């Protein structure tokens, strides 16, 4: 168990690392960031940082020397880096969570082996494998790289009658996974925390809307039957237990069926704090960032109750130019990441609106109750 | 008006500067701290700092070169320092607020000149002046240094029949103010924000309990008639206007009388964020720290509504050793300042409990509604 005054090492200096660092500071902890980008937003709010590539082992040695625990803000930490650090200082979550979630095929297989439903999938290692996969799963389907995909990068949609060779070349002829089409009703996620001793807390299931493969809004509570919400939480708990997980993680889910047959199936696991949990900063008693810090510090998990109906909206690229109007909206919580350049598709900040009166949710535009 | 990415300079690196820095970061602003203490907690969460005495003008020059606005966490900033900085970069709040609040006699006179009631007082420059003051105000009374007092430091209580010479020597024979005894019912404060254009917002009046001259708990709403609460807000507004104030400030008040004659009289003005406003971090839509940043940035003030009944308890000295038990209390928000040594009387952190159900305030120990 960490003591106040301990130092949390964070791999990655983006907005997630930054918000973990801010939450750690509120709890009297120091942070030390490792990131190759000299303009990392997390550097601005941490006690110290090392600016170096993730595979610079001399730098990793210096980084590890100053910290009591290491965590990360992204799942693509090289495994060699994770293992090098884990040999020197507790790595939380551990390398197992990274190994599985870095590889879409390993992740889907892991989930299926737990008896949890996923989209139908097939491994694809060559064009013949793609043809076999399409024969088995049908079209449309999505061909995805096994590694290093996020926000829609590293994937190709294959529609009926499309040329499989073109798709295979578009993806760069690398090891891939073919995922069958899921006629989902909506997308939801569970953001949950687990401690080493198995203690577990999940925030309320969140309904997510994407635009151009990037999360646009997250709204809680999700439109979801009580049974499916309980199923979502149980899935998160089973995954957390199977990974011996320490920290906050997210499970992205598809809602399928309707009425009595409504259920959720797993889309993806993120072994980290997650964009769809940002609403907790202003809409829950404990934020996902504080919860992550508590979990990796070995501290009691915080209360996850909601303060009202909440909606998070990402500020992507030029959206952030509305900052002044957003600050003027009564009750709208504005979070900006301190990034200089508002490039297209870049996450620059987010806002959280909380409708404290459950009857009116007056603060949430376009939402009925 | 500042733009996101601007740098706020903060004089003072204690917990107040630290919490201003954390709030600034959430809004996409950077901070730069000036503080002579190399272990300043605010250094850990700011982009840069200058570790130097407040009267090191070469250091002030370096500090000012990197910032877009300067603010402070304590009222005892030397006036020469304030003026040096104000000649280079906007100082918010301005030097006028410092000049008046640094001097208890100037402050009391300023308040009285606004037609606002204070404790009776008299200037004391020598023993004869003390004798004249006692003759006018009676005993008991409190003899206070005009400058550099806080948390009960720099003051001597004089009881009936006590030796005035001893009191005069105890205070170090310096310019002082004698304050007549006020038979107050309780102590309350208003934490408010004002922008340069006169926009004004006050948080709900807070009831404060001190132990050994140090704030112990702040509870909102205060036990106070609606009329006296409105009077308290009006007083804060009049003081803010008269000081052309920019930023957050606190007015500490005594509640006197009862029933229809209940009213408040001014005890002290603090030209900064204030310990009695810490409950706003978890108990109001906008925290006093965010509000201060908004005000000095020239941004719209945030909404000040309360989320429920709230109580802040300071963790003084060894109190902080209860950190683990406090973290385990459901719904209790723990804030630790990152200070190494839990010396007696030292503010190490605070907790905020919010009773969201106004009928029960179940989270607040020892409080009925």
């Amino acid at each position: 168990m960490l003591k106040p005054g301990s130092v949390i090492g964070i791999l990655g200096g983006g907005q997630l690392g930054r918000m973990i660092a801010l939450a750690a500071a509120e709890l009297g902890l120091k942070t030390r960031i490792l990131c190759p980008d000299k303009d990392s937003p997390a550097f601005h709010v941490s006690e110290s940082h090392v600016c170096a590539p993730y595979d610079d082992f001399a730098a990793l040695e210096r980084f590890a020397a100053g910290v009591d625990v290491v965590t990360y803000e992204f799942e693509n930490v090289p495994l060699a880096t994770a293992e090098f650090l884990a040999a020197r200082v507790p790595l939380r979550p551990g390398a197992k969570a990274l190994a599985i979630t870095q590889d879409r095929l390993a992740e889907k297989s892991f989930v299926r082996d737990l008896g949890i439903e996923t989209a139908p999938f097939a491994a694809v290692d060559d064009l013949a494998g793609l043809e076999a996969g399409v024969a088995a799963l049908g079209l449309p389907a999505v061909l995805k790289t096994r590694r290093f995909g996020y926000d829609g990068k590293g994937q190709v949609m294959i529609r009926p009658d499309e040329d499989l060779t073109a798709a295979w070349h578009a993806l760069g002829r690398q090891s891939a996974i073919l995922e069958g089409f899921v006629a989902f009703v909506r997308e939801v996620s569970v953001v949950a925390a687990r401690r080493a001793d198995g203690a577990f807390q999940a925030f309320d299931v969140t309904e997510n809307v994407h635009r151009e493969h990037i999360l646009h809004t997250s709204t809680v509570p999700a439109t979801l039957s009580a049974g499916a919400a309980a199923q979502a939480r149980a899935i998160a708990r089973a995954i957390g237990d199977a990974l011996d997980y320490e920290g906050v993680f997210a499970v992205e889910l598809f809602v399928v069926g309707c009425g009595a047959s409504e259920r959720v199936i797993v889309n993806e696991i993120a072994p980290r704090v997650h964009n769809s949990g940002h609403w907790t900063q202003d809409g829950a008693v404990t934020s996902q960032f504080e919860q992550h810090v508590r979990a990796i510090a070995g501290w009691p998990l915080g209360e996850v109750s909601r303060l009202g109906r909440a909606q998070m909206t990402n500020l992507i690229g030029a959206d952030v130019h509305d900052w002044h109007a957003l600050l003027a909206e009564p009750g709208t919580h504005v979070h900006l990441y301190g990034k200089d350049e508002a490039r297209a598709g870049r996450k620059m900040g987010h806002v959280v609106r909380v409708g404290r009166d459950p009857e009116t949710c007056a603060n949430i535009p376009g939402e009925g109750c």
Side-chain angles (χ1 to χ4, degrees), chain A:
Chain A
M1 187 172 72
L2 297 194
K3 289 193 173 147
S6 301
V7 182
I8 296 179
I10 303 173
L11 299 171
Q15 68 270 14
L16 300 182
R18 176 179 166 100
M19 291 186 277
I20 294 169
L22 291 170
E26 283 290 356
L27 294 170
L29 296 163
K30 296 171 184 160
T31 51
R32 180 169 170 83
I33 312 290
L34 177 74
C35 191
D37 180 354
K38 70 176 173 48
D39 293 323
S40 297
F43 289 174
H44 305 159
V45 297
S46 56
E47 193 202 17
S48 67
H49 65 262
V50 175
C51 190
Y54 295 114
D55 57 359
D56 176 341
F57 292 90
L60 291 175
E61 191 79 62
R62 286 202 310 281
F63 172 70
V67 304
D68 298 296
V69 64
V70 171
T71 190
Y72 40 85
E73 63 154 14
F74 67 117
E75 55 270 49
N76 290 323
V77 175
L79 277 185
T81 300
E83 283 161 8
F84 182 90
L85 290 170
R88 283 156 181 80
V89 62
L91 178 72
R92 297 175 187 158
K96 184 175 180 185
L98 283 176
I100 287 175
T101 60
Q102 283 181 2
D103 181 334
R104 291 181 196 277
L105 182 62
E107 182 177 305
K108 282 261 181 337
S109 307
F110 162 78
V111 172
R112 189 177 55 187
D113 292 349
L114 291 174
I116 297 168
E117 190 179 359
T118 69
F121 65 93
V124 173
D125 291 311
D126 50 29
L127 186 54
L130 177 57
E131 287 163 350
V134 167
L137 306 181
L139 288 179
V142 184
L143 185 66
K144 299 179 176 179
T145 56
R146 286 178 58 172
R147 295 178 168 273
F148 302 118
Y150 68 98
D151 285 353
K153 296 185 173 78
Q155 52 181 273
V156 179
M157 166 74 91
I158 311 178
R159 294 186 175 75
D161 304 321
E162 273 190 14
D163 179 16
L164 297 188
T165 308
W168 177 241
H169 283 263
L171 207 69
R173 291 177 293 179
Q174 53 187 314
S175 281
I177 178 174
L178 185 71
E179 296 181 6
F181 182 73
V182 176
F184 62 82
V185 181
R186 63 184 67 87
E187 293 177 275
V188 299
S189 58
V190 180
V191 175
R194 187 181 183 278
R195 283 166 32 121
D197 64 0
F200 176 87
Q201 287 282 3
F203 292 102
D204 281 352
V205 178
T206 303
E207 183 168 336
N208 303 316
V209 174
H210 293 80
R211 282 192 186 165
E212 296 168 13
H213 296 286
I214 300 174
L215 183 64
H216 174 55
T217 58
S218 290
T219 306
V220 275
T223 307
L224 197 67
S225 67
Q231 187 202 1
R233 280 193 296 276
I235 286 171
R237 181 151 207 170
I239 288 172
D241 286 344
L243 291 173
D244 298 320
Y245 200 86
E246 288 179 81
V248 162
F249 63 105
V251 182
E252 297 183 63
L253 302 146
F254 296 128
V255 182
V256 297
C258 62
S261 77
E262 186 178 81
R263 68 189 196 283
V264 292
I265 69 176
V266 170
N267 178 26
E268 212 169 294
I269 304 168
R272 53 172 170 80
V273 292
H274 193 258
N275 198 163
S276 71
H278 289 2
W279 65 268
T280 60
Q281 289 181 309
D282 306 295
V285 171
T286 305
S287 81
Q288 66 165 343
F289 302 101
E290 173 173 346
Q291 194 74 306
H292 184 65
V293 170
R294 284 171 173 255
I296 64 172
W299 291 358
L301 296 179
E303 187 186 328
V304 294
S305 332
R306 230 169 355 98
L307 303 183
R309 199 174 159 79
Q311 186 171 74
M312 187 284 314
T313 304
N314 269 334
L315 303 177
I316 307 288
D319 294 349
V320 76
H321 297 142
D322 294 336
W323 62 272
H324 191 268
L326 293 166
L327 282 166
E329 281 183 19
T332 291
H333 299 270
V334 178
H335 301 267
L336 302 176
Y337 304 151
K339 297 179 182 178
D340 283 339
E341 209 188 329
R343 293 194 295 270
R346 193 177 198 204
K347 290 177 178 172
M348 300 299 293
H350 65 273
V351 296
V352 179
R353 297 180 175 96
V354 183
R356 285 187 186 79
D357 178 351
E359 298 305 313
T360 66
C361 45
N363 270 337
I364 301 182
E367 287 291 320
C369 288

